[in-house]
């Protein structure tokens, strides 16, 4: 069963219009048989998804000024729909299917981060969540171990992780229009708060807070500590808001690598690790992702293939 309107706060009137057009394409297609078959669990088969995506891909006009704006600010970024198609195509070649794969994510708590998550949930089913504020894998080794036990026997895990950043229609980075809210809001709020804390320290206006690890705001305290090594890098950056998500990614990448290596003995048939920057946009435009790594780990926990070039 093809769910054209999955539940998500980002599926507003503009997205519904896209989905409606998609429905018309399905209904008027000369050969609709490809869309009538589904997996027993109700998810669309990967091969069927490719056919469906190819028919609606034209709805996202790649030559628009906004698309150019995003890619000018984030060279290497691709739209979510392109990312999804490229990743699923490559994974299918590796024997990955919705029935033998568990989706795992480490993304920010922000509802905007659910857009990318939902795109892949619609293919592989409900995800195991490792992430917290700013996308850091706060579930840690314990969470990874629990997740690994849920992977289908002789199956795979697809782990997607990374921070996120907003960009407005006029190109302001670190801000984003949100549906139903007049205020152009910060994105990522946790990351920007941590950046401001760090700026106060590097500028000499503040000291490191020794009481930062308060239980009632533990995650934000951890984000602020984890960003401390990047003080000079952010201070010297030409555009602090543009550099911020990449600094966060580098910090998270170290943690994710350590978690995967520590839990490598629990990997079943294989693990695919997709890391990068989520780029959130306003309600009337698609989101983007800048992939920075796409690695394949075998059943022994060895990183055996860098697949990043296949999805760029």
């Amino acid at each position: 069963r093809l769910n054209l309107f999955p539940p998500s706060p980002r599926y507003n009137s503009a997205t519904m219009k896209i989905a409606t057009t998609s429905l018309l394409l399905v209904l008027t297609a000369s050969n609709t048989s490809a869309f009538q078959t589904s997996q027993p669990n109700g998810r669309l088969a990967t091969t069927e998804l490719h056919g469906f995506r190819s028919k609606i891909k034209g709805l996202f006009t790649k030559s628009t000024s906004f698309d150019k704006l995003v890619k000018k600010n984030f060279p290497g970024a691709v739209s979510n729909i392109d990312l999804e198609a490229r990743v699923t195509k490559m994974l299918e070649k590796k024997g990955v299917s919705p029935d033998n794969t568990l989706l795992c994510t480490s993304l920010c708590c922000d509802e905007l981060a659910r857009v990318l998550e939902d795109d892949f949930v619609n293919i592989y089913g409900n995800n195991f969540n490792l992430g917290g504020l700013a996308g850091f894998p706060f579930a840690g080794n314990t969470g990874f171990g629990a997740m690994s036990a849920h992977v289908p026997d002789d199956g795979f895990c697809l782990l997607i992780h990374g921070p996120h950043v907003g960009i407005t229609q006029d190109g302001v980075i670190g801000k984003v229009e949100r549906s139903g809210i007049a205020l152009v809001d910060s994105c990522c709020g946790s990351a920007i708060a941590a950046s401001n804390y760090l700026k106060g320290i590097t500028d000499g206006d503040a000291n490191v807070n020794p009481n930062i690890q308060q239980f009632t705001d533990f995650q934000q305290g951890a984000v602020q500590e984890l960003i401390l090594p990047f003080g000079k890098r952010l201070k010297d950056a030409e555009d602090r808001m543009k550099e911020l998500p990449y600094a966060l990614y580098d910090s998270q990448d170290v943690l994710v690598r350590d978690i995967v290596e520590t839990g490598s003995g629990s990997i079943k048939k294989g693990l695919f690790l997709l890391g990068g920057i989520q780029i959130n946009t306003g309600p009337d435009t698609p989101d983007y992702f800048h992939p920075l790594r796409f690695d394949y780990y075998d059943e022994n926990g060895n990183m055996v293939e860098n697949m990043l070039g296949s999805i760029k």
Side-chain angles (χ1 to χ4, degrees):
R1 182 175 58 85
L2 179 60
N3 182 7
L4 290 172
F5 306 104
S8 169
R10 276 295 302 276
Y11 282 83
N12 46 58
S13 58
T15 313
M16 295 287 278
K17 181 166 62 176
I18 292 171
T20 301
T21 308
S22 303
L23 177 60
L24 291 174
L25 283 170
V26 173
L27 294 177
T28 58
S30 59
N31 180 5
T32 60
S33 60
F35 302 98
Q36 295 169 352
T37 306
S38 62
Q39 297 286 352
N41 58 15
R43 286 172 290 189
L44 194 64
T46 307
T47 52
E48 297 164 12
L49 179 75
H50 291 160
F52 176 72
R53 289 299 188 189
S54 67
K55 290 181 182 295
I56 68 169
K57 196 172 181 180
L59 295 173
F60 292 98
T61 306
K62 295 183 178 180
S63 60
T64 63
S65 59
F66 184 70
D67 182 83
K68 293 178 180 178
L69 177 67
V70 171
K71 292 175 179 177
K72 178 182 178 181
N73 283 283
F74 298 97
V78 297
S79 68
N80 279 10
I81 193 169
D82 282 342
L83 177 76
E84 178 189 329
R86 294 172 190 179
V87 169
T88 52
K89 181 179 179 180
M90 286 305 303
L91 293 187
E92 188 176 16
K93 294 178 180 179
K94 297 289 186 181
V96 173
S97 71
D99 288 331
N100 69 3
T101 303
L102 176 64
L103 174 66
C104 178
T105 60
S106 184
L107 305 170
C108 187
C109 306
D110 193 322
E111 71 275 10
L112 296 183
R114 306 285 74 77
V115 178
L116 176 67
E117 200 169 71
D118 288 347
D119 286 342
F120 282 91
V121 163
N122 285 338
I123 302 171
Y124 298 109
N126 291 335
N127 63 294
F128 190 106
N129 180 34
L130 295 177
L133 289 179
F136 280 91
F138 284 108
N141 296 325
T142 299
F144 185 86
M147 179 277 297
S148 298
H150 302 172
V151 174
D153 294 337
D154 200 31
F156 300 94
C157 171
L158 169 60
L159 197 168
I160 303 174
H161 79 95
H164 71 130
V165 63
I167 182 170
T168 65
Q169 292 293 310
D170 54 356
V172 177
I173 299 173
K175 298 280 188 180
V176 71
E177 301 90 352
R178 294 179 186 261
S179 181
I181 301 175
L183 177 69
V184 177
D185 195 23
S186 297
C187 180
C188 167
S190 169
I192 292 172
S195 173
N196 291 339
Y197 165 77
L198 180 57
K199 187 175 186 300
I201 295 170
T202 54
D203 288 351
D205 299 327
N207 298 316
V208 175
N209 182 1
N211 300 316
I212 201 169
Q213 295 290 8
Q214 295 180 358
F215 188 75
T216 54
D217 205 12
F218 178 82
Q219 289 194 10
Q220 183 60 27
V223 174
Q224 292 177 189
E225 284 196 23
L226 289 163
I227 202 177
L228 285 175
F230 301 95
K232 186 177 187 306
R233 172 176 167 180
L234 291 175
K235 185 175 183 178
D236 294 343
E238 182 178 345
D239 187 328
R240 188 181 183 94
M241 286 298 99
K242 186 187 296 186
E243 187 65 25
L244 178 59
Y246 292 96
L248 288 167
Y249 173 82
D250 288 344
S251 180
Q252 292 174 19
D253 187 54
V254 172
L255 295 177
V256 171
R257 286 177 185 268
D258 183 68
I259 290 169
V260 170
E261 290 174 7
T262 301
S264 60
S266 61
I267 293 175
K268 294 186 178 176
K269 192 170 184 179
L271 179 144
F272 297 89
L273 186 56
L274 174 62
I277 311 295
Q278 282 194 85
I279 304 164
N280 298 129
T281 73
D284 300 328
T285 47
D287 282 354
Y288 291 76
F289 189 83
H290 184 189
L292 298 174
R293 68 180 296 203
F294 188 32
D295 294 338
Y296 173 44
Y297 289 77
D298 65 15
E299 65 275 10
N300 298 314
N302 300 312
M303 203 282 277
V304 294
E305 186 176 358
N306 178 344
M307 303 168 59
L308 184 59
S310 66
I311 61 172
K312 283 189 171 182

